[in-house]
Amino acid sequence: MLKRVNELPMDKRIAGIHSIPLLEDGSIVMVWDRNEQTLTTVGGRIEPGESIDEALDRETVEEAGLLLMPERIPVACWYWTETDTYTVFVVAKVHRFVPMPEGFETTGRVTFNFETAKQVVNRIEGHGQRILILNYAEEAASQIFTT
């Protein structure tokens, strides 16, 4: 179940972290998942011994070849009943691009504005949870770029 948040949930363990990286011009970055054959947010599981930030930093390099700024704004979380854990989605500005390593589940990054991202996701998978996440991220991004 997806829930809108503005801070990290504290009532359950956070097992996954995803980001909607923001470029300076307000565009976002998503990645193509070669296994699921869909556009997705950047992120994944938190490995044993990793902090949330360490996991997100590792995942964004592995999946998108990005380094993020340290400020991360939580926008949504997904509760997994099977594991009694959360996956949290955050918005973060891109610090810089770095070489993308080979051998991970994504084929590369795609950048576009929120409107185009939502249209593409809607075309691929219909109006679902990922659209809601993008809506929440867009609201947070508008606050970041107006301050």
Side-chain angles (χ1 to χ4, degrees):
M1 163 185 9
L2 186 69
K3 178 169 78 169
R4 185 180 199 148
V5 297
N6 56 14
E7 58 187 29
L8 293 176
M10 304 299 281
D11 60 323
K12 308 279 185 202
R13 184 172 72 86
I14 298 172
I17 184 74
H18 281 246
S19 69
I20 298 86
L22 300 172
L23 298 173
E24 224 19 74
D25 68 357
S27 297
I28 64 168
V29 178
M30 294 180 75
V31 292
W32 184 259
D33 186 302
R34 79 174 78 237
N35 300 324
E36 294 182 23
Q37 293 291 291
T38 196
L39 276 174
T40 187
T41 53
V42 181
R45 292 189 178 128
I46 299 171
E47 299 293 335
E50 275 185 322
S51 71
I52 293 169
D53 286 328
E54 289 168 338
L56 186 58
D57 290 342
R58 175 184 50 76
E59 289 284 349
T60 55
V61 169
E62 290 174 357
E63 292 187 356
L66 300 173
L67 294 178
L68 299 175
M69 301 293 280
E71 182 184 12
R72 286 94 196 262
I73 301 168
V75 295
C77 66
W78 180 267
Y79 175 68
W80 298 93
T81 54
E82 305 85 11
T83 58
D84 195 30
T85 62
Y86 288 117
T87 294
V88 175
F89 298 84
V90 302
V91 171
K93 284 186 177 180
V94 172
H95 175 61
R96 65 185 168 101
F97 289 87
V98 297
M100 198 173 144
E102 294 183 30
F104 292 95
E105 65 270 16
T106 61
T107 62
R109 58 184 172 247
V110 181
T111 63
F112 29 41
N113 62 29
F114 277 102
E115 182 62 28
T116 303
K118 289 187 277 187
Q119 288 180 21
V120 171
V121 168
N122 189 54
R123 175 65 92 173
I124 294 170
E125 61 189 49
H127 189 82
Q129 304 300 313
R130 205 172 326 266
I131 298 290
L132 291 176
I133 292 166
L134 290 172
N135 286 337
Y136 301 156
E138 185 174 24
E139 288 178 27
S142 70
Q143 295 169 7
I144 292 171
F145 285 108
T146 58
T147 56

